[in-house]
Amino acid sequence: MKSVKNNTQVLINCRNNEKLLGHVKAFNRHCNVVLENLKEMWTEVPKSGKGKKKSKPVNKDCYISKMFLHGDSVIIVLGNPLITGK
């Protein structure tokens, strides 16, 4: 509720091991969330060819203007520590 009232960012950890950083516009008791101006972050491990060493994981991200997130995929919702620490 604090994020909706103050328009602060939250970090949501999802079941598919992706993280979403954005502003909550609405939510309900099932943790369904409407997010705006969010950044989706994940890690990919490139496929290595024959005889090559293991590839290092690469952090990737993408901007999404609006998203509805189903509550089943939410693991935890964290307030932005830089803002909530004040």
Side-chain angles (χ1 to χ4, degrees):
M1 287 182 71
K2 286 181 185 179
S3 176
V4 175
K5 288 180 182 178
N6 301 331
N7 197 30
T8 56
Q9 285 185 324
V10 295
L11 179 68
I12 301 176
N13 196 359
C14 299
R15 293 182 86 198
N16 58 359
N17 209 21
E18 292 181 357
K19 281 109 181 119
L20 302 170
L21 180 66
H23 298 274
V24 178
K25 288 298 165 190
F27 67 96
N28 66 7
R29 64 182 175 180
H30 306 290
C31 286
N32 296 323
V33 184
V34 176
L35 297 159
E36 285 187 341
N37 301 325
L38 64 128
K39 183 178 180 181
E40 180 181 17
M41 300 168 280
W42 69 96
T43 304
E44 286 183 3
V45 180
K47 294 181 180 177
S48 57
K50 287 187 176 181
K52 290 187 179 179
K53 293 183 179 178
K54 228 179 187 183
S55 300
K56 291 185 178 180
V58 178
N59 292 328
K60 298 211 170 187
D61 61 40
C62 121
Y63 172 80
I64 302 170
S65 60
K66 290 184 183 183
M67 172 190 274
F68 173 83
L69 179 64
H70 195 271
D72 283 348
S73 60
V74 174
I75 294 176
I76 191 168
V77 179
L78 300 169
N80 189 340
L82 298 175
I83 303 297
T84 58
K86 290 183 179 179

